[in-house]
Amino acid sequence: MAEDDRSFVDHYAVLGLPSSEEGTKISLEEIKKAYRNQSRIRHPDKRPNDPKATADFQFLTTSFEVLSNETTRSCFDAKLRTRRERVLRDSFQNAKRRKMATDLEQRERTVAVDPAEEVRRKEKMKADELKREIAEFKARRMKKAFEPQNRKENVEGGKKDSSLDKGRMLKVIWETSAGDYSAAKLREIFERFGIVEDVVIRTNSVKKKASAIIVMASKGATVRAIQSMSGGTTNPLLVLPLEPIAPSFSSSSSTNQNESMGPEFNNVVGAGFQNYEEFVMKKLQEAYEKNKCV
């Protein structure tokens, strides 16, 4: 196509005549007259100093020959018409492409210069992200809500038999100012009532009292330890059940019930508490006498 455009010669224009649709309406006499006028002007004899004069005059003669012959003129007119249609079509397509390109550029500029649309887009992204985070948070909450219950069921179901019975546990208290007891010493003291499973010392450097938790193998050993005096005479042990026995609804019924259950349950605190109370009263009396002398 580009090659045809370069080699194309408009014979009407060569003769100085109108081209396009107007050229097809020109008569043969008008063509001859135009040729004679151009020959007088462009003849090589009239342009002796122009090296292109001969070639130009030859172009003029060729164009006249094409247009003066009915057959060759018809072919040239058809070719000229086809070329005009192609140019028109290309021009239309180019205009359409230019319009599309212009519309695209306009839309891009509109998006680029519209901050409100950009803000809305970012807000939607943030809202979607927030919804996703909330959903994940709820899922984690639901998972954590079920985990403690499952662990509790596992503990209650699988370890209930092996859990410690507070009815077999003793709390032992003593005055640290009168001496201290080690775990080995406490085990040795309470083994006379039965098998000792564990001893845990609970000390407090700020207070004057120390305590320990002793786990016996049976409840019977726990009751015997409560009813007996333990520890040295200068530093007796206060022995109490870790889980106190619930009182009955009436004192008479409680007394009758304890008596019916035998001496083992009578005086649940036992001699240990009585001896510890006597020890405390003795300490108070000694402090009073000392202050009195001063």
Side-chain angles (χ1 to χ4, degrees), residues 23-234:
T24 60
K25 298 176 182 179
I26 296 174
S27 65
L28 179 60
E29 291 300 324
E30 291 176 317
I31 293 174
K32 290 179 180 181
K33 182 179 179 180
Y35 174 70
R36 286 194 298 268
N37 292 334
Q38 290 294 326
S39 296
R40 286 194 296 267
I41 298 171
R42 299 162 63 180
H43 195 278
D45 294 340
K46 300 292 184 179
R47 298 184 292 170
N49 298 327
D50 187 357
K52 297 181 179 179
T54 302
D56 181 59
F57 187 78
Q58 187 175 356
F59 269 116
L60 178 64
T61 302
T62 301
S63 296
F64 172 71
E65 290 175 353
V66 170
L67 297 179
S68 60
N69 184 281
E70 185 177 355
T71 303
T72 56
R73 183 181 180 184
S74 298
C75 292
F76 176 73
D77 287 343
K79 183 178 181 181
L80 192 62
R81 185 170 52 254
T82 302
R83 187 174 186 277
R84 286 198 306 269
E85 291 175 353
R86 188 186 68 206
V87 171
L88 183 63
R89 184 173 60 252
D90 292 345
S91 177
F92 175 77
Q93 290 178 351
N94 290 336
K96 186 177 180 180
R97 283 195 293 267
R98 283 194 298 270
K99 185 177 184 304
M100 292 175 61
T102 302
D103 293 343
L104 180 60
E105 291 176 359
Q106 183 64 29
R107 286 196 298 270
E108 290 176 349
R109 283 197 299 269
T110 302
V111 172
V113 298
D114 188 2
E117 182 65 26
E118 183 67 14
V119 170
R120 286 193 294 270
R121 186 182 67 82
K122 290 182 178 180
E123 288 179 351
K124 185 178 183 303
M125 291 176 62
K126 290 180 180 179
D128 294 341
E129 181 67 16
L130 182 60
K131 288 180 181 179
R132 185 184 64 79
E133 291 179 355
I134 290 174
E136 292 179 355
F137 176 76
K138 288 182 178 180
R140 290 195 298 268
R141 286 287 300 273
M142 290 293 293
K143 183 178 180 181
K144 289 182 179 179
F146 282 104
E147 283 180 353
Q149 182 177 357
N150 293 336
R151 287 197 296 268
K152 183 177 179 182
E153 291 176 354
N154 291 335
V155 170
E156 291 178 351
K159 299 183 178 180
K160 185 174 180 180
D161 295 337
S162 60
S163 61
L164 292 175
D165 183 3
K166 290 185 178 180
R168 299 186 291 107
M169 301 174 70
L170 299 169
K171 182 176 182 180
V172 181
I173 305 172
W174 65 91
E175 291 279 347
T176 57
S177 59
D180 207 355
Y181 289 96
S182 64
K185 183 63 177 176
L186 291 173
R187 182 181 291 274
E188 179 184 347
I189 292 172
F190 284 91
E191 278 182 346
R192 61 193 180 96
F193 306 114
I195 299 174
V196 178
E197 292 185 351
D198 199 5
V199 177
V200 181
I201 302 291
R202 304 171 66 185
T203 58
N204 192 328
S205 59
V206 178
K207 296 181 180 180
K208 295 181 179 180
K209 291 184 176 63
S211 63
I213 300 297
I214 299 177
V215 183
M216 305 301 292
S218 64
K219 291 185 178 180
T222 303
V223 173
R224 288 193 294 272
I226 293 171
Q227 292 177 339
S228 304
M229 184 184 71
S230 299
T233 55
T234 58

Side-chain angles (χ1 to χ4, degrees), residues 284-294:
L284 292 173
Q285 184 64 32
E286 289 177 354
Y288 174 76
E289 294 293 339
K290 183 177 181 180
N291 294 331
K292 184 179 179 181
C293 294
V294 175

Side-chain angles (χ1 to χ4, degrees), residues 255-266:
T255 303
N256 296 334
Q257 182 180 2
N258 289 342
E259 289 176 354
S260 64
M261 293 177 70
E264 187 176 63
F265 288 91
N266 291 331

Side-chain angles (χ1 to χ4, degrees), residues 1-11 14 59 62-63 76 79 83 86:
M1 184 182 296
E3 183 68 23
D4 292 342
D5 290 340
R6 288 194 299 268
S7 61
F8 174 77
V9 177
D10 188 348
H11 299 296
V14 172
F59 269 116
T62 301
S63 296
F76 176 73
K79 183 178 181 181
R83 187 174 186 277
R86 188 186 68 206

